[in-house]
Amino acid sequence: MTTDRKNFGSKLGVILASAGSAVGLGNIWRFPTEVGKNGGAAFILVYLACVLLIGVPIMMGEFVIGRHTRANTATAYQKLAPGTWWRVQGGIGVLVAFIIMCYYVVVSGWTLYYAYSSLVGALQYSGDDAGHFSSFFDSFVAHPWLPVLFAVIFMAVVHLIIIMGVEKGIERFSKVMMPMLLLIIAVLVVCAFSLPGSSQGLRYLFYPDFSKLTASTILSAVGQAFFSLSLAMGCLCTYASYFRKDTNLVRTAYSVSIIDTIVALMAGVIIFPAVYSVENPNLEEGAGLVFKSLPYIFSHAFHSMPVVGYVFSLCFYLLLFLAALTSAISIHEPVTAYLHEAHRMSRKKAAMWVSVVCMALGVFCSLSFGLLGNVKLFGLTIFDCFDAFPSKILMPLGGIIISLFTGWYLDKKLVHDELTNDGTIRFRLFPFIIFLLRWVIPVAIGLVFVNQFFDLTKIVDLFAGN
Ligand code: PHE
C-alpha cells in the first residue's frame, strides 16, 4: 500500500519544510509574550536549555519513528508496537493535528486579513487612542462572515498545496516561502534597529535579570519549547516518514531547532524596539499583542517616517501569514496522510475531507467571537476548547509517551541505527539523548502537566520560605 510513497527530494527541502512547521505563530507572538512576562533574557536562557535538553531529543524520537516506519503517524505506532497500548499515541497525534487545524485556520485567516488591511492602509493610524485597534480587532472577529471568509481563503491555499503532493506541493512551496520569510525578517530587523527605542528594547531582551527567575519561568519555557518546535502534533513524525534513507536525522533536528530559535529571537528583536519607542502602549498578550497592540505601536513608532511604517507593518503581517501557512500545511498533512493510507482513500479525497470538516468546525470556532460567544463548555468558548484540549491535555501526554516510547520501549539498536544511518554517521551524544528521553523529559513534561491543575510553583515557594 505504501510502495508509491513519495519522499522529499532534497536535504534543503527536508530542513525548510520541517522548519516551516516549527516556525509559526508560536515564534512570533507567543515567544515575545513569554519573554515579556518572564523577565526578558533570563527566560531566553532557560528556553535555550529546554530546546536543547527536551525539544531536540523528542524531535529526534519523532524523526526515528516516522522515518523507520515510513508511514503516517497512526500506522507508524501500530507497526512499531503491535498489540500494545503504546499504539494510542498514533491516534493521539492525528487527533491533535485535526483539532489544532480547526482553530488554527481561523487565526491564520486573521493574519491574512491583517496583511490585506495593512496593504490597503487600514492599519495606519495617527490618533492617540491606544485602544483604537482593540475595537478594530473586536469588531472584525465578531463580524458574522468576514473572518470566516478569510479562513476559507486560507484553507483553500493550504488545500491546494497539500493536493499537489509532498515533493511538488509541500517541499516546493517551503523552498519558496521559507527564504521569503527569512528575507522579510531581515528587512524588519534592519528597520527595528533604526527606531529610537531600539537600544532599550534590545537591552531588555538580552540583559538577563536572574532575580526574575522562578519555578514558573522554567515551566513556561518547557511549554513554549514544546509548542514552538511542533512536538507531539504528528507533524514532524509524518514529515519524517517522507525523509530519505540518507537524511541525517541528527543534523536535521539541530538545524530545525536552530532556525526556529533564531526566528523567535528575531521576533523579539523586531517587536521590543518598537514597543520601547512608543509612549504608554496598551500592551496585550498573545493574539492581543499582534492584533491589538502592535498595529498602534507600529504606526506610532514610525510616525516621523510613515512610508517605512507602512512597509514595516505590511512586511510584519505578511511574515505572520507565511509563518501560519507553512505550519498549517504541516498540521493538515498528518490527517490527510492518515486517511489516505489507513483508510485507502485517494490523497485528493482525503485532503478534501480534512479541509471541509476542519473548515466546518472552524466556522464554529470563528463564530465563538461573535454570534456564538455565549456558548460555553467547562466555562470556555468553543474556540478556547479547541485550543485547550490538545495543548493542555493531549500534547503533554503525547510528549511523555513519545519520550518513554523512544527511550524505553523501542530497541536501542533500532534508534541508534536510524540516528546514525546504520552506523555511517558518528553520534557520540547518543547515550545522553537516551538518558534524557528516559528520565529527564518525562519528569519535566509531567511537572508542566500537573502544574496546570495544581499550582506547583506555590509548593516550591513554600519550601523556599517565601
Ligand atoms: N510550531 C508551531 C508554531 O510555533 C506550532 C504549530 C504547528 C501550530 C503547526 C499549528 C500547526 O506556531
Side-chain angles (χ1 to χ4, degrees):
M1 186 169 56
T2 51
T3 44
D4 62 343
R5 242 171 160 272
K6 293 281 184 294
N7 277 345
F8 285 121
S10 67
K11 276 186 208 157
L12 186 67
V14 161
I15 292 176
L16 292 183
S18 313
S21 170
V23 171
L25 301 175
N27 303 57
I28 299 166
W29 85 45
R30 208 165 177 267
F31 183 76
T33 303
E34 293 290 325
V35 172
K37 278 200 300 198
N38 292 296
F43 174 82
I44 296 183
L45 289 177
V46 179
Y47 176 75
L48 292 180
C50 292
V51 168
L52 271 179
L53 300 177
I54 297 176
V56 170
I58 296 206
M59 194 184 290
M60 287 178 185
E62 290 211 39
F63 281 173
V64 166
I65 294 163
R67 211 247 319 246
H68 183 80
T69 53
R70 303 184 41 71
N72 70 86
T73 306
T75 311
Y77 284 85
Q78 243 150 39
K79 279 188 176 177
L80 286 170
T84 70
W85 67 268
W86 294 103
R87 286 176 308 161
V88 296
Q89 179 49 29
I92 293 181
V94 176
L95 187 65
V96 167
F98 174 75
I99 300 175
I100 293 184
M101 185 75 212
C102 299
Y103 79 85
Y104 205 74
V105 64
V106 175
V107 184
S108 305
W110 300 346
T111 68
L112 185 58
Y113 178 71
Y114 268 64
Y116 162 77
S117 300
S118 32
L119 183 71
V120 297
L123 297 189
Q124 302 287 94
Y125 172 71
S126 54
D128 51 12
D129 171 14
H132 174 78
F133 286 103
S134 295
S135 356
F136 178 89
F137 177 76
D138 290 337
S139 56
F140 165 62
V141 292
H143 193 280
W145 55 261
L146 200 56
V148 174
L149 173 71
F150 276 86
V152 169
I153 299 174
F154 184 89
M155 182 61 109
V157 177
V158 174
H159 182 81
L160 282 179
I161 296 176
I162 289 287
I163 56 174
M164 282 184 215
V166 173
E167 192 179 353
K168 297 217 170 72
I170 301 175
E171 180 174 4
R172 193 158 55 120
F173 280 89
S174 301
K175 275 177 160 170
V176 177
M177 291 192 287
M178 288 309 283
M180 247 162 80
L181 184 140
L182 297 175
L183 186 75
I184 293 178
I185 290 180
V187 172
L188 288 169
V189 168
V190 172
C191 292
F193 273 113
S194 72
L195 283 170
S198 68
S199 55
Q200 230 184 323
L202 294 178
R203 186 162 345 113
Y204 179 75
L205 194 59
F206 292 116
Y207 179 78
D209 175 1
F210 288 109
S211 68
K212 294 242 173 76
L213 215 61
T214 61
S216 81
T217 319
I218 301 175
L219 296 180
S220 307
V222 175
Q224 172 63 17
F226 209 73
F227 183 84
S228 190
L229 295 171
S230 299
L231 301 173
M233 304 177 176
C235 302
L236 293 180
C237 183
T238 306
Y239 273 10
S241 71
Y242 306 126
F243 290 0
R244 291 194 318 217
K245 269 278 154 239
D246 61 350
T247 301
N248 185 333
L249 298 186
V250 174
R251 197 182 293 159
T252 305
Y254 285 133
S255 309
V256 172
S257 308
I258 290 171
I259 296 176
D260 187 66
T261 307
I262 291 180
V263 173
L265 288 173
M266 289 305 118
V269 169
I270 291 163
I271 289 173
F272 283 102
V275 169
Y276 278 94
S277 302
V278 174
E279 258 176 60
N280 303 325
N282 164 27
L283 270 188
E284 304 237 4
E285 293 174 357
L289 174 74
V290 293
F291 294 117
K292 294 180 173 177
S293 314
L294 288 185
Y296 178 83
I297 290 171
F298 290 162
S299 43
H300 283 71
F302 293 96
H303 65 93
S304 55
M305 327 172 252
V307 180
V308 182
Y310 173 82
V311 174
F312 194 87
S313 158
L314 179 59
C315 283
F316 183 81
Y317 289 102
L318 266 180
L319 167 72
L320 216 54
F321 166 70
L322 281 178
L325 183 56
T326 48
S327 293
I329 294 169
S330 79
I331 203 113
H332 195 294
E333 181 61 26
V335 195
T336 302
Y338 163 69
L339 290 181
H340 171 47
E341 292 173 6
H343 294 278
R344 295 171 181 271
M345 270 183 207
S346 74
R347 190 176 160 86
K348 274 204 176 131
K349 193 167 164 199
M352 191 47 118
W353 270 106
V354 180
S355 301
V356 170
V357 175
C358 284
M359 198 55 250
L361 292 172
V363 171
F364 288 97
C365 292
S366 183
L367 290 179
S368 72
F369 290 92
L371 285 178
L372 300 179
N374 292 328
V375 181
K376 302 241 161 100
L377 257 172
F378 309 110
L380 299 173
T381 63
I382 304 175
F383 181 96
D384 290 339
C385 286
F386 273 77
D387 174 20
F389 184 48
S391 68
K392 292 199 183 302
I393 312 232
L394 295 179
M395 283 162 61
L397 213 62
I400 296 175
I401 301 179
I402 295 170
S403 60
L404 295 176
F405 184 69
T406 322
W408 294 101
Y409 178 84
L410 283 185
D411 180 13
K412 260 217 248 152
K413 182 169 175 334
L414 181 156
V415 180
H416 187 264
D417 283 352
E418 281 298 330
L419 289 176
T420 59
N421 289 355
D422 295 327
T424 54
I425 306 167
R426 276 222 344 223
F427 183 35
R428 286 210 213 106
L429 287 179
F430 180 73
F432 181 56
I433 295 287
I434 293 290
F435 169 75
L436 292 174
L437 286 167
R438 284 188 164 180
W439 303 101
V440 180
I441 299 174
V443 172
I445 302 177
L447 288 177
V448 177
F449 186 61
V450 176
N451 186 62
Q452 310 179 108
F453 305 105
F454 318 97
D455 193 349
L456 290 178
T457 55
K458 289 214 182 95
I459 302 173
V460 175
D461 285 347
L462 209 65
F463 278 106
N466 296 331

